[in-house]
Amino acid sequence: MRPLALFALLSAAPVILAAQSPSPSRLSAELDRRITAVMPKVVSWRRDIHQHPELSGEEVRTAKLVAEHLRSLGIETTTGVGGHGVVGVLRGGRPGPVVALRSDMDGLPVEEQVDLPFKSKARGVYRGASVGIMHACGHDNHVAMLMGAAEVLAGMKGELPGTVKFIFQPAEEGLPNGGSGAPLMIKQGVLESPKVDAIFGLHVGPGPLGQITYRPGPAMAASNSFTIVVRGRQSHGATPWAGIDPIVVGAQIVTGIQTLVSRQIDISAVPAIVTIGAFQGGVRNNIIPDSVVMLGTIRTFDKAIRDDLFRRITRTTEMIAASAGATARIVIDSGNLVTRNDSALTLRMVGTLERAAGSAGAEVAPLWTASEDFSAFQDRIPGLFFNLGVTPKGQDWRVVPSNHSPSFFADEGALPTGVRALSSLAIDFLTGVGIRRQ
Ligand SMILES: [Zn+2]
Ligand SMILES: [Zn+2]
């Protein structure tokens, strides 16, 4: 969205009276000064957290670091929210709305292959297996940037017309037995007392260093995992007629499911994806097994398409199995919702993002088929989730190792942009920047 189009949209937006607030330019000068001052700390927090990553649901050390920092700033701090979640409430010196800034805190069961002085050597147990642990999704950057924003905003507390809630969320990547941190925090009231009016969050990833990308409306996919169990009847591999072969049925189901998106779903508006990522059955060349288990994921950008796809996958699976005299049971989990950026809020904040990104720029992103449990917050209140490019200058961000790779690398040069974006979004939201005044 370019400025002219934005202006047209804002002009058409309803006129809202904003509360009297300090001059935005004075706040922005103070903000710049405070960001510069806090950056050495942000870098050292990030390195410390990077070196000590923790798996989803085990973020004890990270939560302690965050809580101690928030308390040192005089921010009301609650721990143990939705697991190891930490919530800070900073009440400004003037009345006004409530804005939330969110960072996730968990690492992944990945063994780091990046040669850094603060490389992770952490190990843990994931689903019974001994694993290396790494901040392979870059959440170490998110935590450090939000700790920095908290320090910046706490220093300007007296001038803030409203309240900032800092949400440090555990288990974004999902808990081993299902579920994830955002819905758990919501269940424990993180969006209430005080009630949050809008929420902002960011994610680092491949992209030109310091560039911000955002997308009004659906931005990241809904993600639903599913399990299919095909039951046939065991027999000798030499006499298949004596049994029902679940491997052949399973193969037909894989192929059948692949025709749904290409032949049955209207993908002219938004795409959809169905992937089978695991197919397990049998132990030996000449024994037809009793059953086959398949695991997959569904990615969609629209609730009606998602629900339609659920019905079609179930029908295809069950009827292909029935056609062979086998049975198939499919279980689809509740997964992540679509990360849907509130369009009016996004357009209102484009100027803020552009100023935060400076010469690296802020651009509209294409749809992204990854998913985020930030979507759970956006299901309740208006929210904006955006991306921050962390690919070092001189490297092609299109081909560098992506998030979740053991070789994922985030250049610290983007950290000031993230701190500036988060702090500015909070200030601009509270002070009514982007809202037309009478
Ligand atoms: Zn991730
Ligand atoms: Zn992530």
Side-chain angles (χ1 to χ4, degrees):
M1 188 62 60
R2 303 321 305 159
L4 262 181
L6 170 69
F7 177 74
L9 274 155
L10 287 177
S11 304
V15 175
I16 301 166
L17 258 178
Q20 270 215 331
S21 48
S23 127
S25 59
R26 186 166 60 77
L27 283 182
S28 123
E30 192 184 339
L31 189 69
D32 285 346
R33 191 176 56 73
R34 289 185 180 277
I35 289 169
T36 307
V38 84
M39 281 321 297
K41 289 192 202 175
V42 172
V43 169
S44 79
W45 290 324
R46 184 262 161 165
R47 292 181 182 182
D48 178 49
I49 298 164
H50 188 88
Q51 200 166 4
H52 301 98
E54 294 166 299
L55 290 172
S56 308
E58 300 177 8
E59 305 88 344
V60 177
R61 184 184 185 277
T62 312
K64 186 163 175 277
L65 182 77
V66 167
E68 280 172 2
H69 176 59
L70 295 181
R71 287 190 176 122
S72 79
L73 297 170
I75 293 174
E76 295 170 36
T77 303
T78 312
T79 56
V81 183
H84 296 296
V86 181
V87 182
V89 177
L90 176 69
R91 293 177 205 275
R94 299 153 182 257
V98 180
V99 64
L101 301 175
R102 175 273 207 172
S103 160
D104 38 15
M105 301 193 288
D106 49 335
L108 283 162
V110 171
E111 195 161 329
E112 176 151 21
Q113 286 175 15
V114 187
D115 192 17
L116 295 170
F118 49 95
K119 172 180 179 172
S120 165
K121 295 186 182 75
R123 296 200 66 83
V125 176
Y126 181 73
R127 292 185 170 160
S130 169
V131 291
I133 309 175
M134 175 189 174
H135 267 297
C137 205
H139 300 181
D140 49 335
N141 299 271
H142 305 168
V143 176
M145 288 188 282
L146 190 53
M147 285 171 73
E151 182 156 332
V152 166
L153 293 168
M156 300 169 71
K157 176 178 168 169
E159 303 186 76
L160 294 180
T163 298
V164 186
K165 198 178 260 194
F166 301 95
I167 299 178
F168 289 89
Q169 183 208 301
E172 191 285 324
E173 302 286 357
L175 292 158
N177 294 323
S180 70
L184 291 173
M185 290 192 91
I186 293 169
K187 221 172 173 180
Q188 292 200 6
V190 74
L191 297 179
E192 307 299 325
S193 325
K195 196 167 168 24
V196 179
D197 296 300
I199 184 164
F200 299 103
L202 63 74
H203 210 299
V204 297
L209 189 64
Q211 186 186 70
I212 286 175
T213 51
Y214 61 92
R215 185 175 183 86
M220 294 173 72
S223 150
N224 298 91
S225 303
F226 63 89
T227 305
I228 295 173
V229 180
V230 180
R231 292 201 182 281
R233 194 169 63 245
Q234 194 277 318
S235 68
H236 195 293
T239 57
W241 54 84
I244 299 171
D245 187 345
I247 289 189
V248 171
V249 173
Q252 288 175 325
I253 289 173
V254 172
T255 310
I257 282 178
Q258 287 311 311
T259 67
L260 298 181
V261 171
S262 65
R263 301 292 88 177
Q264 296 186 32
I265 298 288
D266 177 359
I267 51 162
S268 60
V270 282
I273 292 167
V274 184
T275 291
I276 302 278
F279 188 118
Q280 294 154 350
V283 290
R284 203 184 131 86
N285 68 314
N286 59 359
I287 300 177
I288 292 172
D290 238 4
S291 63
V292 156
V293 178
M294 291 179 274
L295 308 175
T297 185
I298 303 164
R299 304 292 164 116
T300 50
F301 292 91
D302 177 271
K303 190 171 180 303
I305 291 177
R306 182 194 71 174
D307 294 347
D308 187 34
L309 206 42
F310 286 0
R311 282 189 291 274
R312 290 174 191 272
I313 288 174
T314 304
R315 183 180 71 182
T316 300
T317 299
E318 290 176 351
M319 295 189 82
I320 285 177
S323 74
T327 60
R329 195 166 59 86
I330 177 164
V331 177
I332 304 173
D333 80 357
S334 55
N336 282 337
L337 300 167
V338 175
T339 301
R340 180 185 299 279
N341 292 324
D342 184 273
S343 291
L345 180 68
T346 307
L347 296 175
R348 185 186 149 193
M349 293 300 165
V350 167
T352 305
L353 296 178
E354 285 175 344
R355 279 191 298 280
S359 58
E363 292 187 0
V364 173
L367 286 171
W368 191 20
T369 52
S371 81
E372 244 295 331
D373 81 345
F374 188 82
S375 53
F377 299 117
Q378 293 173 313
D379 192 43
R380 307 292 178 106
I381 57 169
L384 166 58
F385 193 73
F386 58 98
N387 287 84
L388 175 62
V390 291
T391 303
K393 285 190 172 134
Q395 292 185 19
D396 183 352
W397 62 270
R398 294 169 197 84
V399 298
V400 294
S402 184
N403 304 58
H404 291 211
S405 158
S407 302
F408 176 67
F409 173 75
D411 191 315
E412 288 169 348
L415 291 172
T417 305
V419 177
R420 193 179 306 119
L422 291 167
S423 314
S424 308
L425 285 166
I427 291 179
D428 287 359
F429 182 82
L430 296 182
T431 55
V433 168
I435 295 179
R436 285 185 66 210
R437 293 154 197 243
Q438 278 183 330

